[in-house]
Amino acid sequence: MAAPSQESLFRTENSDIPLLAEVIIPVALPQNYTWSVPASMRDQVQIGIRVEVNLGARRRYAGIIKRLHTDKPDFKPKPIIQVLDDHPIVTETQLIFWTWIAQYYLCTEGEVMSAALPTNFKLSSETWLRLLPTYGEDFTALEDAEYLLAEALSIKKQLRISEAQLILQNKQVYSIIHRLVELGIAELVESLQEKYASRLDTFISLHPTYQDETTLADLLNGGLRAPKQLELLLAYLDLKKDNDFITRATLLKRASSTAAPLQALIEKEILIAEKRSVGRITRPEAFVKLDFTLSSYQETALQSIRSQWNQQDVCLIRGVTGSGKTHLYIQLIADAIQQGRQVLYLLPEIALTSQIIRRLQQHFGGGVGVYHSRFSGNERVEIWNEVRSGKIRVMLGARSALFLPFTDLGLIICDEEHDASYKQQDPAPRYHARDAAIYFAARYQAKVLLGSATPSLESFYHAQQGKYGYVELTQRFGAGELPSLQVIDTRAILKEDRTRVSMTPPLMKRMEEVLAQKRQIILFQNRRGYSPYQLCILCGWIPQCEHCDVSLTYHKKSNQLRCHYCGSSYPLVQRCHACGHDQFGQRSFGTERIEEQLQLHFPKARIARMDVDTVKGKQAHDQLIQQFETGEVDILVGTQMVVKGLDFDRVDLVGILDADGLMHFADFRASERAFQLMEQVSGRAGRKQANGQVLVQTSDPEHSILKWVAAHDYIGFYEAELKKRQAFGYPPFSRMIRVLFRYKQQSVVEQAAQAWAKAMGATWQARMIGPAESMIARIRDQYRMEVWLKLPRSAKSIAEAKGKIISSIYQFRKEKSLARVDVVIDVDPVS
């Protein structure tokens, strides 16, 4: 017999002992608060359900019960106001995962909850003005505005603040409300507003009276004389042959009818209209259908992965671009489904999901779901519930999909595992989805497969050290071969004016040849906009953002200067602010300018641009990718979006327009990222044929990275880069933590960084880099200082350092002048 649950024990044996609940609320509290459970709710509370609680004077929150207990706190806990759910919306495994995220990445569980739950689960607190009956009904002594609001309250009894603003036509509403509260006419109250709303549709059915065939026949044979009503009824009966559920819209469309005949049939009690809740996302039937055959080397790799999983739960597969890793993923997904388990397929970018979801649905039908930030709040709630119920067997998504309520997770695939987009930057929790996935999988005793053509140095190092299993695919699937790479030295070509030419003559000539053959081209430039900056041709002054220490990017389409850090827009500068000169030059080039040049040089070519400025909306990525897949676009120019994991059949040429901007960057990961980006974008060429080519424009053709990319030599790059990392003590030979200080006054930020570093003590100061200004010293009017900690790979040392970081923040904040400085802790930063 199973042991009684913790909750059932509280409800029975300890019924006389006050029951308490540790509740997580979406606020950055240093520790979770405790509320008391009223006796009337003891049978309702469960771990993982939402409850309404009050914190502070009025503020209300929807929190998640993490723990039920009887440990009396040092304060008198407030009672839970109400239980919001009939069953848990969060599993206990998820709550354990939230705790780990908070502890490892040095944030609060409230911040994790905010990131994890769909927005529409996090009920919002709204302020209402409510009439107090004790005052009476005589408002004649009030001023006009006060009288107007009091009269409205006497009719409606309570008003939202927004409604009060409409009544008073945006007069000084808060002072008037304050006056009514002071007089005892009304009070301010907080209430939680449910954000999720079911989608309702009207379904039509036959009245029970006419379920009998004889009665129905009588009706059809003269009992119903109105021709349009009879026509609509016949349309209903025709639809009923193939559909159990018929919507109002479907019936009216089939009958080519208006609503009036339908309403008449409903009033005559021949048909019944009934509102029902329906899902926003429709899914076809789930199935498993593998209609491909693995090559011999793919089959060997598949068996090797299964074998590796007998020893380690994590396996890294390094497969060159186009080697058919996705075929292996699909086979392993099928294995997990046949075992009755769920699969999480992680991708770094939303842009990648559109291609993969179509491939997965070919093999698994409606058993596949997709989850990312482009879905509405209501859609995300419904997907969440489908995962929790087990309806979705395979979930494809970006990093936020890691927080879904899986019931029996058997496999996590982390594709393009090297990608920096897996790391959350702002706000907290600043987690790395790849690393968090490994911990999450362990809670389910699930397997993890990390896949990439260019693995991160850390992952490949772990594989070489035996911490992960390791499998490799060194040749492309089918007839495709790795593309050849040619380096174009731009120093001579651009000697006269480097600023005007974004595409060199050799690249232009090759593009003409490819277009003549009716093949496709991808051009990669890691800068969006028209020109990254303008400058005065007389004195060299460059327009800067008023809120950030960065130059403004010129966007020709909108004829504006924009800051790519805070989003501010400015009119085009007509006169230099330094010398008054009125002529400006443009330096460097972005994707918008390249698109314009392509349209001039290749007027008959169909050109598309893929960057943040052009790809907006839930379906925008998918539409553009499908256009390129079907050959409706000849040249695709874009930023990193075109680099990652996309599979196109017709691409013969890839152009990397500015390799210098990738290779020369002040970051210890710059070489790794440059190699990965160039190798990944190179891999888009020649995937189905053996004539793919990559042209790289650079003023540093002898750079070692280019030699490794040209040879597609990941191992050579890895060995050389690893020696540098070891010599300077960077990951994977150390662990890094970055502590960032932000505030509107530069002197205060500097003081805070110095005070914190001093509070850390001499032991940890020896492992510090900084305090120093951030690479961009000011963003959104906040000055920035940072300190990097380089720690040994020792669990004990890292735990001690994290504890000291937190205690030192508390210590320096005791100084009143520093208390409002924002401190950001980034564990395992990617840049």
Side-chain angles (χ1 to χ4, degrees):
M1 184 182 234
S5 68
Q6 178 196 39
E7 294 159 2
S8 65
L9 285 173
F10 284 136
R11 292 170 188 156
T12 55
E13 298 175 14
N14 301 316
S15 58
D16 295 331
I17 302 174
L19 180 59
L20 303 171
E22 179 185 340
V23 179
I24 306 170
I25 61 173
V27 178
L29 298 176
Q31 65 184 48
N32 294 328
Y33 200 76
T34 295
W35 280 265
S36 65
V37 179
S40 60
M41 299 181 192
R42 289 180 79 103
D43 291 337
Q44 299 173 265
V45 292
Q46 301 176 61
I47 292 172
I49 66 169
R50 292 177 305 164
V51 290
E52 182 180 352
V53 294
N54 179 271
L55 186 68
R58 295 190 182 93
R59 197 68 181 169
R60 294 188 179 188
Y61 296 93
I64 297 285
I65 293 181
K66 179 184 178 181
R67 185 171 70 99
L68 294 168
H69 62 93
T70 56
D71 305 328
K72 188 176 181 181
D74 297 331
F75 58 91
K76 184 179 179 180
K78 297 179 180 180
I80 289 172
I81 298 170
Q82 65 171 320
V83 176
L84 300 173
D85 301 308
D86 296 327
H87 52 73
I89 65 166
V90 176
T91 67
E92 292 193 46
T93 302
Q94 284 179 284
L95 292 171
I96 293 170
F97 181 51
W98 290 9
T99 300
W100 178 83
I101 288 273
Q103 292 174 348
Y104 185 86
Y105 290 103
L106 297 181
C107 61
T108 69
E109 290 181 54
E111 290 171 314
V112 179
M113 175 185 172
S114 290
L117 284 185
T119 302
N120 286 18
F121 271 144
K122 295 173 286 189
L123 309 188
S124 62
S125 179
E126 186 172 16
T127 304
W128 291 71
L129 186 65
R130 186 166 63 191
L131 183 70
L132 291 174
T134 53
Y135 184 83
E137 299 179 358
D138 183 7
F139 304 132
T140 54
L142 301 179
E143 300 288 339
D144 289 348
E146 297 167 356
Y147 181 88
L148 190 63
L149 196 54
E151 278 290 299
L153 277 172
S154 68
I155 297 169
K156 289 195 67 175
K157 307 306 178 187
Q158 61 181 20
L159 296 168
R160 293 185 177 91
I161 299 301
S162 58
E163 291 174 325
Q165 289 173 325
L166 287 174
I167 292 168
L168 299 177
Q169 297 182 344
N170 291 323
K171 293 179 181 177
Q172 297 295 324
V173 61
Y174 292 102
S175 61
I176 296 167
I177 289 173
H178 180 66
R179 177 67 175 156
L180 294 183
V181 171
E182 276 188 336
L183 293 171
I185 297 171
E187 64 177 349
L188 289 170
V189 295
E190 291 280 327
S191 67
L192 288 183
Q193 303 299 308
E194 179 70 69
K195 292 183 179 180
Y196 174 72
S198 304
R199 179 181 174 185
L200 298 176
D201 206 345
T202 303
F203 288 82
I204 305 300
S205 59
L206 194 62
H207 194 280
T209 304
Y210 299 99
Q211 299 289 348
D212 178 70
E213 291 184 9
T214 303
T215 310
L216 179 60
D218 291 341
L219 181 66
L220 296 174
N221 296 322
L224 187 60
R225 298 184 181 278
K228 291 186 177 180
Q229 294 176 28
L230 180 61
E231 186 179 343
L232 193 141
L233 180 59
L234 289 171
Y236 168 83
L237 295 172
D238 186 45
L239 282 170
K240 188 64 178 173
K241 295 174 185 176
D242 301 316
N243 301 278
D244 291 330
F245 303 100
I246 301 168
T247 65
R248 179 179 183 273
T250 302
L251 176 57
L252 292 177
K253 184 177 180 181
R254 170 64 69 88
S256 299
S257 174
T258 62
L262 175 59
Q263 185 61 35
L265 289 172
I266 293 169
E267 289 173 358
K268 291 177 179 179
E269 297 187 343
I270 296 171
L271 294 179
I272 299 172
E274 181 183 5
K275 292 277 189 183
R276 296 180 196 167
S277 177
V278 294
R280 289 173 170 82
I281 302 171
T282 57
R283 302 189 190 281
E285 184 181 352
F287 54 77
V288 176
K289 182 180 69 175
L290 304 187
D291 54 4
F292 58 84
T293 302
L294 298 178
S295 66
S296 58
Y297 65 88
Q298 285 179 314
E299 188 64 46
T300 300
L302 179 64
Q303 297 308 322
S304 182
I305 292 169
R306 290 168 173 163
S307 175
Q308 298 279 348
W309 276 339
N310 291 328
Q311 306 299 322
Q312 290 110 342
D313 290 331
V314 182
C315 182
L316 171 68
I317 178 170
R318 183 178 73 87
V320 297
T321 54
S323 59
K325 294 187 293 294
T326 305
H327 284 155
L328 302 186
Y329 299 160
I330 290 170
Q331 181 63 64
L332 293 167
I333 289 169
D335 292 349
I337 291 175
Q338 287 164 0
Q339 295 165 12
R341 307 197 73 184
Q342 292 172 298
V343 178
L344 172 59
Y345 191 136
L346 288 173
L347 288 165
E349 292 276 4
I350 296 172
L352 296 179
T353 59
S354 58
Q355 263 197 344
I356 297 297
I357 192 68
R358 290 196 296 274
R359 294 187 66 176
L360 293 181
Q361 286 174 342
Q362 288 176 7
H363 301 291
F364 306 111
V368 180
V370 61
Y371 186 83
H372 52 63
S373 59
R374 294 286 173 90
F375 284 102
S376 70
N378 284 330
E379 287 173 331
R380 296 180 83 177
V381 167
E382 291 181 3
I383 295 168
W384 180 283
N385 289 333
E386 286 181 316
V387 173
R388 183 171 51 82
S389 68
K391 183 177 179 180
I392 294 178
R393 307 307 300 170
V394 183
M395 177 51 65
L396 178 71
R399 60 177 179 261
S400 60
L402 193 60
F403 291 111
L404 287 166
F406 297 95
T407 53
D408 189 11
L409 189 62
L411 171 64
I412 297 180
I413 296 169
C414 187
D415 200 10
E416 308 296 341
E417 67 83 28
H418 66 278
D419 201 293
S421 297
Y422 277 122
K423 184 70 158 74
Q424 165 73 10
Q425 299 297 337
D426 278 311
R430 295 173 180 84
Y431 67 101
H432 198 300
R434 177 199 62 209
D435 301 338
I438 293 172
Y439 174 85
F440 191 54
R443 304 304 310 179
Y444 289 92
Q445 296 182 322
K447 303 300 182 184
V448 179
L449 184 62
L450 309 177
S452 176
T454 55
S456 64
L457 258 72
E458 287 91 333
S459 293
F460 194 73
Y461 178 78
H462 291 327
Q464 295 298 298
Q465 296 297 308
K467 183 177 178 181
Y468 298 163
Y470 177 64
V471 176
E472 61 183 14
L473 289 168
T474 57
Q475 60 183 8
R476 283 190 156 181
F477 180 76
E481 293 182 6
L482 291 171
S484 62
L485 185 141
Q486 178 186 341
V487 176
I488 301 173
D489 187 347
T490 60
R491 289 175 296 186
I493 297 172
L494 307 182
K495 190 173 182 180
E496 292 185 3
D497 189 348
R498 296 166 182 259
T499 67
R500 293 185 181 177
V501 181
S502 56
M503 291 169 286
T504 57
L507 175 60
M508 297 290 286
K509 181 181 178 181
R510 182 63 185 130
M511 290 173 68
E512 290 172 358
E513 294 170 352
V514 171
L515 291 173
Q517 297 165 4
K518 307 294 184 183
R519 304 291 288 177
Q520 292 176 304
I521 300 165
I522 290 177
L523 297 180
F524 169 56
Q525 168 63 1
N526 206 27
R527 289 174 177 167
R528 59 191 173 98
Y530 187 81
S531 173
Y533 60 93
Q534 291 186 299
L535 84 166
C536 173
I537 62 174
L538 187 63
C539 72
W541 177 80
I542 299 172
Q544 299 273 317
C545 177
E546 295 176 2
H547 310 288
C548 311
D549 288 342
V550 294
S551 58
L552 295 171
T553 299
Y554 172 47
H555 288 251
K556 188 172 183 178
K557 186 175 181 180
S558 60
N559 200 34
Q560 289 181 325
L561 297 174
R562 292 183 191 168
C563 175
H564 286 178
Y565 283 84
C566 70
S568 299
S569 297
Y570 301 84
L572 205 60
V573 177
Q574 303 298 333
R575 189 171 295 277
C576 175
H577 292 186
C579 71
H581 196 64
D582 61 357
Q583 293 187 31
F584 286 84
Q586 293 164 2
R587 289 295 181 264
S588 193
F589 50 90
T591 51
E592 186 181 1
R593 185 177 181 185
I594 296 164
E595 182 185 27
E596 180 185 86
Q597 290 181 339
L598 289 170
Q599 289 166 345
L600 291 173
H601 287 292
F602 306 105
K604 295 182 179 180
R606 296 163 297 178
I607 300 160
R609 175 159 55 100
M610 181 185 281
D611 57 28
V612 173
D613 298 317
T614 60
V615 182
K616 296 177 181 178
K618 193 192 326 185
Q619 305 299 330
H621 287 101
D622 194 22
Q623 290 169 357
L624 181 51
I625 288 168
Q626 286 193 57
Q627 287 172 356
F628 197 65
E629 280 180 320
T630 56
E632 297 173 51
V633 173
D634 300 312
I635 305 173
L636 180 63
V637 55
T639 56
Q640 290 189 38
M641 290 182 180
V642 303
V643 173
K644 304 170 181 180
L646 296 172
D647 188 1
F648 302 118
D649 293 351
R650 301 178 178 89
V651 176
D652 279 3
L653 177 64
V654 166
I656 299 175
L657 302 183
D658 183 20
D660 299 334
L662 302 175
M663 297 185 297
H664 304 290
F665 199 76
D667 183 350
F668 76 91
R669 297 187 195 272
S671 294
E672 179 184 9
R673 194 156 296 139
F675 177 86
Q676 289 168 341
L677 282 170
M678 284 192 278
E679 181 67 11
Q680 289 284 338
V681 76
S682 299
R684 301 315 111 206
R687 294 176 76 91
K688 304 301 179 186
Q689 297 185 16
N691 58 349
Q693 187 178 17
V694 181
L695 298 185
V696 180
Q697 297 182 159
T698 177
S699 61
D700 188 6
E702 302 303 317
H703 199 292
S704 58
I705 290 177
L706 294 174
K707 296 176 182 178
W708 287 313
V709 174
H712 304 289
D713 184 7
Y714 173 83
I715 300 299
F717 163 76
Y718 165 79
E719 291 174 347
E721 185 67 14
L722 197 69
K723 288 178 182 178
K724 295 178 186 177
R725 297 278 185 94
Q726 188 169 22
F728 292 98
Y730 282 110
F733 301 100
S734 66
R735 299 294 290 273
M736 305 288 288
I737 298 177
R738 182 179 72 141
V739 184
L740 174 68
F741 301 85
R742 303 185 297 204
Y743 194 60
K744 60 186 178 182
Q745 294 177 9
Q746 187 173 10
S747 59
V748 174
V749 172
E750 292 172 356
Q751 185 184 352
Q754 296 290 347
W756 177 82
K758 183 178 179 181
M760 284 290 288
T763 301
W764 300 107
Q765 285 174 0
R767 298 190 174 277
M768 285 183 188
I769 303 172
E773 275 191 352
S774 299
M775 186 179 299
I776 300 175
R778 182 174 61 107
I779 295 179
R780 295 184 178 90
D781 289 324
Q782 289 193 316
Y783 292 91
R784 298 151 56 91
M785 294 283 290
E786 61 186 45
V787 181
W788 288 66
L789 281 171
K790 196 184 293 184
L791 305 171
R793 294 192 67 88
S794 156
K796 182 180 179 182
S797 294
I798 293 167
E800 289 176 354
K802 288 179 177 178
K804 188 62 176 176
I805 287 170
I806 297 300
S807 64
S808 297
I809 290 172
Y810 289 144
Q811 185 176 336
F812 96 82
R813 275 188 167 153
K814 289 179 181 177
E815 294 187 40
K816 189 175 180 180
S817 61
L818 306 180
R820 299 184 68 181
V821 174
D822 186 24
V823 183
V824 173
I825 305 170
D826 190 1
V827 178
D828 300 335
V830 295
S831 62

